[in-house]
Amino acid sequence: AAEVRARCAQGACLVSCHRRLYDLSGFVRLHPGGEQLLRRRAGTDVSAALDGPPHRHSANARRWLEQYYVGEIEPGDEQVSPRGRTGTGVGTGCRGTQSQSLWGASEQTDVCYRTVDVDKDLVDWQKPLLWQVGYLGEKYDEWVHQPVDRPIRLFHSDILEFLSKTAWYVVFMVWTPVVLYLSWVSYTSLAQGNTRLFASFTTEYSIPVHKYYFPFIFLLGMILWSLLEYLIHRFVFHMKPPASNYYLITLHFLLHGQHHKSPFDSSRLVFPPVPASLVIGFFYGLLRLLLPEVLGLSIFVGGLCGYVIYDMMHYYLHYGSPKKGTYLYGLKAYHVKHHFEHQRAGFGISTRFWDYPFRTLIPQETFKKED
């Protein structure tokens, strides 16, 4: 117990569950309930907390916990936490070689890699996964929605592997100047007074678009992006590829499946600028065809701004620790539920708005009072 207490006092987060000891030190900032919630649980038994309230943890969450297993508590070693908390504290004796290796600095960083039994898993984790997943067939959908906390290598080529990873700030650095420049171009072009709606059909009834409309057109672009975000996430990223189609399974894993398999891989939480530019260019061309040039550009730049906000929010929902009670706190919990329990619902990321009309809102949990 002294060793466990010492580790908790130094900032580690050790908890027990049914006599099994877990080191959650590397997970505290990622926990959807917030870092402080787990910190308060350090040194205690969390068996009852997993069943709620306020939240009943899913089978995937319980499987996720096993990644951080470091040993077992000997019978009779339970005691009250030294910090004076109520409830059951973590006991003393940890048996098994895993618990002994916990304190070694060289092995502590590898605790989470015990998530997968490489001898029994459906893929070979020592090799790139992209070309393996297509062979999983009917087992792919269940496998890809059982998240793990370990890095994924997609490609054999080091160059392709490098290009498939992007730090969050790269998106901000690449696209923010584009948004600012195109906003200036749109506003100054509208200020010339030459932009009119329906001018290609009639000059008598065409509607002038003044520069003062730019903020509203920009906002319209952001709203349209939020809808597009929902539709892409639901119908493209969450398509269920046919079990017999190797190529569609591989494509799904490349587009989104790898994110669900390893949801906290920080290098793959935002869209790389090179492929993003192709998609962005497609939508720009589409708006140019449908609308007057300046009007289409104004909507486009609003949508591009919405995309940047979406990517930044998506990263924060995985790696941030928002304050309890804030909008982002609820959104983080909502998005994590999408990953761990409700993969066929909760497709809104930057907003839950579109989940309401499309009837894909994740239901609220309810707990019946027990006698």
Side-chain angles (χ1 to χ4, degrees), residues 152 154-155 158-175 254 258-259 262-277 307-308 311-312 314-316 318-319:
I152 287 178
L154 293 177
F155 300 98
D158 291 336
I159 296 176
L160 289 178
E161 185 69 12
F162 173 79
L163 292 175
S164 71
K165 298 180 178 182
T166 307
W168 68 268
Y169 54 82
V170 172
V171 172
F172 184 82
M173 292 174 60
V174 168
W175 296 114
L254 177 64
Q258 47 88 14
H259 173 54
S262 182
F264 293 102
D265 185 345
S266 61
S267 64
R268 289 198 171 99
L269 287 175
V270 296
F271 208 18
V274 174
S277 62
Y307 158 70
V308 174
D311 245 355
M312 298 299 96
H314 185 224
Y315 184 90
Y316 185 76
H318 281 265
Y319 266 83

Side-chain angles (χ1 to χ4, degrees), residues 35-296:
E35 180 177 357
Q36 293 306 314
L37 177 61
L38 273 189
R39 292 290 183 191
R40 289 195 298 269
R41 300 283 188 184
T44 68
D45 188 299
V46 298
S47 305
L50 290 178
D51 293 324
H55 170 63
R56 183 181 294 108
H57 289 68
S58 65
N60 271 335
R62 295 167 191 271
R63 189 181 296 110
W64 183 272
L65 177 64
E66 292 303 317
Q67 300 171 111
Y68 309 107
Y69 169 75
V70 292
E72 294 188 20
I73 300 171
E74 295 288 357
D77 279 337
E78 295 88 351
Q79 64 178 27
V80 177
S81 170
R83 298 184 185 180
R85 301 183 190 89
T86 59
T88 304
V90 171
T92 57
C94 294
R95 63 188 180 194
T97 56
Q98 286 177 312
S99 63
Q100 300 301 321
S101 68
L102 168 66
W103 319 125
S106 61
E107 293 196 29
Q108 181 151 349
T109 55
D110 295 331
V111 167
C112 67
Y113 294 171
R114 287 199 287 271
T115 310
V116 176
D117 186 339
V118 294
D119 296 324
K120 297 180 181 180
D121 198 71
L122 299 177
V123 297
D124 185 350
W125 286 86
Q126 307 304 318
K127 299 178 181 178
L129 297 190
L130 185 61
W131 314 116
Q132 300 183 58
V133 295
Y135 295 109
L136 297 182
E138 294 180 353
K139 298 179 181 179
Y140 170 75
D141 190 66
E142 180 181 4
W143 175 85
V144 81
H145 290 127
Q146 293 179 349
V148 298
D149 187 8
R150 59 179 293 140
I152 287 178
R153 184 177 179 93
L154 293 177
F155 300 98
H156 291 281
S157 168
D158 291 336
I159 296 176
L160 289 178
E161 185 69 12
F162 173 79
L163 292 175
S164 71
K165 298 180 178 182
T166 307
W168 68 268
Y169 54 82
V170 172
V171 172
F172 184 82
M173 292 174 60
V174 168
W175 296 114
T176 300
V178 177
V179 170
L180 294 175
Y181 173 73
L182 293 182
S183 296
W184 177 80
V185 170
S186 299
Y187 180 80
T188 54
S189 298
L190 288 175
Q192 296 176 7
N194 299 323
T195 304
R196 304 181 71 90
L197 277 177
F198 311 119
S200 58
F201 301 103
T202 175
T203 56
E204 184 178 357
Y205 298 105
S206 61
I207 303 173
V209 182
H210 299 289
K211 63 180 180 181
Y212 307 109
Y213 295 167
F214 175 73
F216 303 101
I217 300 172
F218 186 94
L219 182 61
L220 174 62
M222 294 185 67
I223 294 172
L224 290 175
W225 160 256
S226 69
L227 174 60
L228 187 62
E229 167 200 316
Y230 174 92
L231 295 175
I232 292 175
H233 190 196
R234 179 178 179 181
F235 295 107
V236 179
F237 290 170
H238 277 273
M239 67 171 181
K240 189 174 182 179
S244 59
N245 196 312
Y246 170 89
Y247 296 103
L248 280 181
I249 292 176
T250 302
L251 177 63
H252 177 269
F253 190 72
L254 177 64
L255 291 177
H256 198 59
Q258 47 88 14
H259 173 54
H260 268 261
K261 189 62 181 176
S262 182
F264 293 102
D265 185 345
S266 61
S267 64
R268 289 198 171 99
L269 287 175
V270 296
F271 208 18
V274 174
S277 62
L278 300 177
V279 178
I280 290 170
F282 167 79
F283 284 107
Y284 173 71
L286 185 63
L287 288 171
R288 282 287 304 272
L289 289 174
L290 298 176
L291 298 169
E293 180 177 357
V294 179
L295 182 60

